[in-house]
Amino acid sequence: MTPASSSVRSSAHPVPGSVAAPHEPLLALDAFTVAFAARDRAVPVVHGIDLSLARGEALGIVGESGCGKSVTWLAALRLLGHGVVTSGRVLLAGRDLTTMSEREIARVRGGRIGLIFQDPTSSLNPVLTIGAQIGEALALHRGLRGEAAHAEALRLLDRVGIADGRRRLRQYPHELSGGMNQRVMIAIALAGEPEVLVADEPTTALDATIQAQILDLIRDIRRDSGMGLILISHDLGVVAELCDRIAVMYAGRIVETAPARRLLAA
């Protein structure tokens, strides 16, 4: 395969408080590195990642297990906690997330950037109802409470294909199937009306039929909302269905970036 790149689409809507260049990507990693602290030194695991996502684009991140796909984006959103050292920049519409306070980055996560994790069973809180967990996201990112939040939670469940929403909002994660819990995770990710959706292996734990339904759902949501998508996966079939462009990772580095059709054809 020969290295290739795709052009970045124009962004006509700069975010308040940021200085957006005419062709600035919506989200970009600039010489981004990740290292884990080990005794008296830092062990590098991700080496100088340069990636960009245009508005409305779907970018697939593929590579073997352990190559750094998930770690890169978890570190970029500062979700790995203490003992992680990063360098470089993470730019959202021109603003560097690495310089934000904890309060500011908390508003970005789940707000401007939605997250879907690999295992919904462990990502959802087992002692809170589905309604409480969706309601928390609505209150934090959109200021909705009471009847307004309840109505919006019902709308979100309907949007992700969960019927009998009033009953489901009163249930707990263990009362739902794996596919339904993944739909709940997508509803929570959409609650903040994000500009970018980061999906980390969103169909790994699901059977083939449910996997196809979730992929169709993500495709429909992107078409209706125009949001960007970062899809992390080791499944080339999943990436081929959803992504415009693919970046291949190996040993903590991006080794190739190309339009999806060109890369898969080669």
Side-chain angles (χ1 to χ4, degrees):
M1 290 185 283
T2 58
S5 62
S6 68
S7 60
V8 176
R9 299 171 197 157
S10 167
S11 167
H13 304 287
V15 174
S18 64
V19 179
H23 298 285
E24 182 179 69
L26 174 58
L27 182 64
L29 302 184
D30 178 20
F32 187 68
T33 67
V34 183
F36 290 121
R39 297 184 181 177
D40 58 347
R41 66 191 184 97
V43 179
V45 293
V46 172
H47 311 273
I49 300 294
D50 291 303
L51 273 180
S52 65
L53 178 76
R55 292 183 184 273
E57 184 184 25
L59 173 65
I61 311 294
V62 302
E64 64 185 13
S65 296
C67 70
K69 303 185 299 295
S70 298
V71 163
T72 297
W73 292 97
L74 291 174
L77 296 173
R78 289 160 54 181
L79 285 169
L80 293 180
H82 301 294
V84 175
V85 180
T86 64
S87 65
R89 299 188 299 167
V90 181
L91 302 171
L92 178 62
R95 187 165 182 203
D96 191 355
L97 302 188
T98 65
T99 65
M100 288 185 176
S101 68
E102 286 301 319
R103 183 182 294 271
E104 288 175 317
I105 193 69
R107 286 197 294 265
V108 170
R109 292 191 300 251
R112 297 181 64 188
I113 301 178
L115 302 165
I116 304 173
F117 293 108
Q118 177 171 334
D119 183 1
T121 305
S122 61
S123 300
L124 294 171
N125 192 325
V127 301
L128 293 179
T129 64
I130 299 304
Q133 297 184 63
I134 298 176
E136 182 180 29
L138 291 170
L140 179 62
H141 298 295
R142 290 169 58 188
L144 297 180
R145 291 176 174 79
E147 284 302 315
H150 184 73
E152 179 62 6
L154 288 173
R155 188 193 72 81
L156 286 168
L157 288 188
D158 181 66
R159 180 68 189 85
V160 299
I162 295 181
D164 196 8
R166 294 184 184 278
R167 181 167 68 92
R168 299 303 185 190
L169 288 177
R170 297 192 298 269
Q171 291 183 312
Y172 293 85
H174 72 270
E175 298 180 87
L176 306 183
S177 67
M180 290 183 72
N181 275 325
Q182 190 61 288
R183 290 174 187 269
V184 170
M185 283 293 301
I186 296 173
I188 293 172
L190 296 177
E193 299 181 326
E195 300 165 64
V196 179
L197 184 64
V198 178
D200 186 1
E201 303 276 11
T203 58
T204 295
L206 308 176
D207 63 44
T209 302
I210 303 302
Q211 181 183 82
Q213 293 173 1
I214 295 297
L215 294 178
D216 287 342
L217 174 60
I218 294 174
R219 183 186 300 108
D220 291 345
I221 290 167
R222 280 197 62 235
R223 183 192 62 221
D224 295 343
S225 67
M227 67 182 173
L229 173 69
I230 300 286
L231 178 64
I232 301 167
S233 182
H234 62 267
D235 189 329
L236 289 177
V238 170
V239 173
E241 280 201 45
L242 291 180
C243 295
D244 306 312
R245 194 160 52 97
I246 299 174
V248 182
M249 285 194 74
Y250 179 77
R253 292 179 171 85
I254 298 292
V255 295
E256 180 158 13
T257 306
R261 288 186 179 181
R262 185 187 305 172
L263 187 142
L264 294 171

